[in-house]
Structures are given as C-alpha cells and as structure tokens.
Amino acid sequence: QEGSELSQLNRERVLTNPGPHFRKLLGLAVDLHARTLGYYQPAIHGAWTWLENRGSTADLKEDPRWNEQFDASDLKYLDIQANGSIRLLNPLTRLSMNAIGQGYLADVVASHLLAAGVVSGLLHLGESYAIGRHPEGRFWKLAVTGTPANGETGLLGNIEFSDAGLAVSAQDADRLLIDPVSRSV
C-alpha cells in the first residue's frame, strides 16, 4: 500500500517516527537475516524488481548495473537509530516484508486471541496459525495442493500441526529467484 510505512521508507528513504510494530518487524528481519547467514534477505526486492524489468538473465554478471543493484540489495544499508528513525542509506536499496510480514501478523493476532482466552482455533491470514489442538483433540490438518500451471494436480500432502504457524508457497517455474549469498539466479 502506498501509505504504508514500508512504502514510505522505500520512497522517501527515511522514517522519522515509525510505529512499534514496524520497528519490531524490522528487528525480526535483521535477526533472521543474521541467523540464516544472509539467505533471508528482505533487501533483495530491488534486485529482483530490476531483474524482472530487464527481462533477461543473459550476460548478467557482466552488466555493471546488475552488480550495482545487487550490491545495494543488502541490509547493511538499513540504519535503525536508537532515537527511532530508520534510513535506507543506498538509493537503490528497497525492502520487502512479504516473507516475514504475514507470519508476524499471524503471531500478533494469535497472541491477542490467546490473551483473550482462546484455547483452540485456526487462523488464515496469508499464512495459517494453529492455536492449540482441534476441538476434537487431534492436531489441525491442512491439505497442500499443487498448482496446475506447473503440472501438479490435486493433493500433494497433508500437514498436521498445533501451536505453530505454517506458510506454504506455490512453486512457479517462471518466477525468477535470486540466491542472495552466491548471486546466482
């Protein structure tokens, strides 16, 4: 959304008074980036968008614009100040919170429901979150189906879970993926 704190930060390069949820989400993203040794990289969005606009991966490593864009796709250009302000220090750096935002939202909603006394429930908020067990006493069960565009049809499997979040992504053979550590596409 154009008015979101994330859009404002990407557009204006600074947030002087971000809300507590946005600051916490960024803190979690920085922590996850460190814990995954850079494989979780919310700053890869700029490189991914640039690559999609380019329309080709041919001769990518020889393109100085790719190297410049890829180098900007790093959280080292995110400056979170103790006074509350947040800055993006490189003009090419763009953040995306898609991979962590839905999980954070599910965690916050589940926390409020647990505090209100809910002992059993299944949330679907872009990702699923199971509170406790199913009312019948069993684990919650979610079916994972394939995407017809990739030749997968029907049920791929079931996942049983309790007191946990679960996100499932569809495979898309046409989608460009970037390895933020090796720079491979």
Side-chain angles (χ1 to χ4, degrees):
Q1 295 178 351
E2 285 300 312
S4 72
E5 290 178 304
L6 178 62
S7 292
Q8 182 181 346
L9 178 61
N10 281 332
R11 183 177 54 251
E12 297 174 19
R13 320 308 296 154
V14 64
L15 278 177
T16 55
N17 193 21
H21 283 293
F22 190 68
R23 285 185 61 81
K24 183 165 184 168
L25 183 62
L26 282 179
L28 290 169
V30 169
D31 182 51
L32 189 55
H33 173 73
R35 292 173 59 196
T36 63
L37 305 176
Y39 282 101
Y40 172 69
Q41 179 55 273
I44 202 71
H45 188 68
W48 183 77
T49 301
W50 182 89
L51 192 57
E52 283 217 324
N53 290 335
R54 185 177 191 252
S56 167
T57 59
D59 302 319
L60 200 55
K61 292 192 181 198
E62 288 79 36
D63 188 333
R65 294 171 303 161
W66 167 249
N67 292 322
E68 182 180 39
Q69 183 62 64
F70 189 89
D71 287 339
S73 298
D74 195 310
L75 283 184
K76 69 183 177 187
Y77 297 111
L78 174 65
D79 181 34
I80 302 173
Q81 293 290 312
N83 71 358
S85 68
I86 299 170
R87 297 183 184 281
L88 292 175
L89 303 175
N90 187 310
L92 297 177
T93 302
R94 299 283 180 274
L95 298 179
S96 173
M97 295 293 144
N98 289 350
I100 196 172
Q102 291 175 343
Y104 177 76
L105 172 64
D107 289 347
V108 169
V109 171
S111 174
H112 286 291
L113 291 172
L114 286 165
V118 172
V119 296
S120 177
L122 185 62
L123 304 173
H124 292 290
L125 303 166
E127 108 164 17
S128 299
Y129 193 100
I131 297 174
R133 290 185 179 228
H134 189 277
E136 296 172 356
R138 61 178 169 79
F139 287 107
W140 291 97
K141 184 185 281 189
L142 287 181
V144 179
T145 59
T147 53
N150 290 315
E152 305 163 338
T153 56
L155 182 66
L156 295 176
N158 290 302
I159 297 175
E160 294 182 345
F161 67 122
S162 167
D163 294 311
L166 174 68
V168 178
S169 296
Q171 179 181 346
D172 184 349
D174 296 328
R175 185 164 179 127
L176 293 171
L177 296 177
I178 302 169
D179 180 329
V181 175
S182 71
R183 294 182 174 227
S184 61
V185 179

